[in-house]
Amino acid sequence: MDGARLVVDEALPPRWPDLTFLTSPAWLRMMGDRPPGRGYYFRLVRDGVTLAATTGYLIEDPHCYESFNLHELMWRDPPVFPDQRRPPAGPPERSVWFPFLAIVQPGYDADVVGATGPSPERVGAL
């Protein structure tokens, strides 16, 4: 987006879009360190206004909780989700998958939020 820049914060920034409960600053603070790994706040900002925002967590622990563990989600036996389809190849070495960045809102709401609601253009730019 013209004139917009990506800002990455290591703490919840003072101007965070508060559009839904699961993406609200109150919920983000309450969830704290529930996702394993270091949290980051990604914002697309233009003229001091956050246009779109989401959170991400740098997952480094190969044995972390299954909902944030890409290796477990793909290859755990039994599967994390009963109806999931596995990739055709067998499981790679666990250590190959770490670290990775999981883009997710704590509380498991994977929406990108912005000042005027969802926008494919803003999400694409973010």
Side-chain angles (χ1 to χ4, degrees), residues 70-123:
L70 190 56
H71 192 275
E72 291 291 299
L73 286 170
M74 298 295 285
W75 287 285
R76 189 183 85 174
D77 193 21
V80 173
F81 302 105
D83 59 347
Q84 82 184 63
R85 292 181 14 201
R86 296 180 187 263
E93 181 64 37
R94 181 182 291 269
S95 63
V96 170
W97 288 82
F98 296 86
F100 65 90
L101 183 66
I103 304 295
V104 62
Q105 299 288 355
Y108 320 106
D109 183 6
D111 293 334
V112 172
V113 296
T116 59
S119 162
E121 297 80 22
R122 289 180 182 160
V123 171

Side-chain angles (χ1 to χ4, degrees), residues 5-22:
R5 62 187 177 87
L6 177 66
V7 175
V8 181
D9 301 296
E10 291 188 41
L12 185 62
R15 293 185 184 159
W16 183 262
D18 189 359
L19 298 178
T20 71
F21 174 71
L22 292 177

